[in-house]
Amino acid sequence: MGLRKDIWRPAIVGAPIAEIVRRGSVEGLPVTWLPPMGAFRFLADPFGLWRDDRLHVFAETYDYRVRVGAIEVLTYSRDLRLIDRAPALAEPWHLSYPLVWEADGETWMLPEAHRSGGLTLYRAAEFPRRWEPAHRIALDHVPVDATPFFHDGLWWLFYCPATSAADKVGRLHIAFAERLAGPWRMHPGNPVRQDRASARPGGTVALIDGVPMLPVQDCTRTYGGAIRPLFFDRLDTGRVETRVGEAIPIPAGFAPYGEGMHTLAAAGEVTLIDVKRTELSAHGLSIELAREARKLIRRALPDQGGAPIR
């Protein structure tokens, strides 16, 4: 069992994603931090959408005692004052990476949910707090951190397969479709990239000087250790050509959140990021011991004719 816990904290950076990628840094840019959480809890994977002059930030909310992530929405005024926060989406399985966007007259969310055994596209029934399943996206593998992008008349979907721990961070696949609902076709070059330093998606795709750029996670040292820009110099249904940029450094002023970054998401004139610290304490150890004890009891009781503990 891992004793050090990743504790993430998102922030709103006062610059568009293209500026951050070109300068290769967030150093010196204005930063608005999302609220801190309690002990062994965090917010992560922030994605944003402006509506009626308000920025709605969707993020994973996670508690190590429960270990099932859900999606929360935090609403900010134009001057980035927090004015509301509320639950947005919860399922029996873990949810994270709540990418949101507008297309075809609707507002969509495509959260990471590989523990459900598939990928579900949600439609806003009442934005921003109520969402309903709209389409089940069928792919060759159960995807991790699936990231959509409309380009040259097609929808593209970037993802890693959930086939193994190594594949989740090191094999980039692509699918494409004429409509969000599909049918989705797998790219013949899959995996289009195999590299722990630049394969797992970590934010929104953006056009940088006309070239599609996907933020990807560098997981060579640790999960979510850094964000790198991955450029697609060629992206069509027959061939993909990529090049990766340098990792975006974490400013020293972000301490103690200097051990990783794994989201870079565009939201108009601002960009959303998250950075992490790790925590080791007696409290964290007690959480793990209690969790392991509950697992042992669950395994033992059914064999003895007892009811399983939930």
Side-chain angles (χ1 to χ4, degrees), residues 235-246:
L235 178 62
D236 58 46
T237 58
R239 188 173 174 184
V240 172
E241 295 178 1
T242 62
R243 58 185 165 89
V244 66
E246 294 296 322

Side-chain angles (χ1 to χ4, degrees), residues 43 57-62 68-74 85-100 107-113 116 119-136:
L43 293 172
V57 179
F58 295 84
E60 170 196 358
T61 179
Y62 189 84
V68 179
I71 306 305
E72 186 172 319
V73 58
L74 298 92
R85 64 185 297 178
L89 181 63
E91 297 284 13
W93 49 84
H94 178 82
L95 295 174
S96 60
Y97 202 77
L99 203 152
V100 291
T107 306
W108 307 96
M109 180 193 295
L110 191 64
E112 205 300 297
S116 71
L119 182 65
T120 300
L121 177 65
Y122 293 79
R123 178 192 294 113
E126 294 179 11
F127 184 87
R129 296 188 179 188
R130 193 162 72 84
W131 300 79
E132 59 187 16
H135 304 289
R136 189 77 162 177

